[in-house]
Amino acid sequence: MVKWIYNFNEGRSKDKALLGGKGANLAEMTHLGLPVPSGFTLTTESCMRYLKDVAFFDQQLITEIQTAIERLEVKTNKSFANDDDLLLVSVRSGAVFSMPGMMDTILNLGLNDSRVHALAEQTSLAFAYDCYRRLLQMFGDVVYGIHKEKFNLLLTKAEKENNQTVNDFNEQQQL
């Protein structure tokens, strides 16, 4: 049976062709004992299989991703469903060779309109809303092709209308 998903502790740096450069390096750092958050990598083979047959996702990959997420929830004692222990993940595309600025990234996946309030209670309002803004901006760009600059223009407009910058807001929240 072909393995489509590897936990960070299963790969090594030599596995770049299988895990992409980022996945292989995260695996190697995990083996070296560096403080890498728990996670997993979908193989480059799973990507190629999906590109050849989109039904592959529904027929096989989705179940394996759900299992990997369940294992991650157990390992981290965090959850996508429990607001007390929020599981937030980062998703990044990868390749065998480094391509700075060319790989798509989405941070803070797991936040939504209600969970951002739970994060604010655990951290600060400014931090939580900034995390949520980044999620929406990255998701809009990567998934829907809404250029990041459109988000930046809206943020600048809101700052001007409220005579306050995001940095001002962050400083006020810390007082």
Side-chain angles (χ1 to χ4, degrees):
M1 183 172 137
V2 176
K3 187 171 176 76
W4 303 112
I5 297 175
Y6 284 73
N7 291 320
F8 289 167
N9 65 346
E10 294 180 298
R12 296 304 293 242
S13 61
K14 66 179 175 51
D15 297 322
K16 283 185 180 180
L18 178 67
L19 302 175
K22 179 64 76 177
N25 289 332
L26 286 167
E28 190 64 30
M29 289 187 293
T30 299
H31 279 285
L32 291 172
L34 296 173
V36 176
S38 299
F40 56 89
T41 302
L42 277 67
T43 66
T44 56
E45 292 173 356
S46 69
C47 178
M48 298 309 293
R49 176 80 179 266
Y50 170 77
L51 291 173
K52 289 179 186 172
D53 177 16
V54 296
F56 168 69
F57 182 80
D58 288 330
Q59 292 172 350
Q60 183 159 359
L61 198 54
I62 193 168
T63 303
E64 293 190 31
I65 292 171
Q66 289 169 332
T67 300
I69 289 171
E70 288 168 5
R71 285 189 196 127
L72 184 60
E73 287 178 325
V74 168
K75 185 171 186 171
T76 62
N77 201 28
K78 296 183 181 295
S79 171
F80 281 129
N82 182 348
D83 287 350
D84 294 330
D85 296 304
L86 299 171
L87 175 62
L88 302 178
V89 298
S90 299
V91 179
R92 184 178 191 274
S93 59
V96 176
F97 303 103
S98 178
M99 296 186 286
M102 300 301 292
M103 299 288 100
D104 291 326
T105 300
I106 300 176
L107 302 176
N108 308 314
L109 200 60
L111 282 178
N112 60 30
D113 289 347
S114 63
R115 295 189 83 207
V116 72
H117 297 289
L119 181 60
E121 289 176 15
Q122 296 171 13
T123 58
S124 75
L125 188 61
F127 177 77
Y129 279 134
D130 194 46
C131 288
Y132 197 37
R133 176 194 60 81
R134 290 173 192 266
L135 166 64
L136 295 175
Q137 185 173 0
M138 291 176 176
F139 193 87
D141 181 44
V142 172
V143 177
Y144 291 111
I146 302 169
H147 197 275
K148 292 175 187 175
E149 187 58 29
K150 288 188 177 188
F151 288 94
N152 291 336
L153 291 171
L154 290 170
L155 179 60
T156 300
K157 180 182 175 189
E159 288 174 336
K160 285 180 183 177
E161 287 174 357
N162 293 291
N163 199 26
Q164 188 176 29
T165 68
V166 170
N167 289 334
D168 295 336
F169 181 77
N170 288 342
E171 288 173 12
Q172 287 177 356
Q173 294 299 308
Q174 292 173 359
L175 296 178

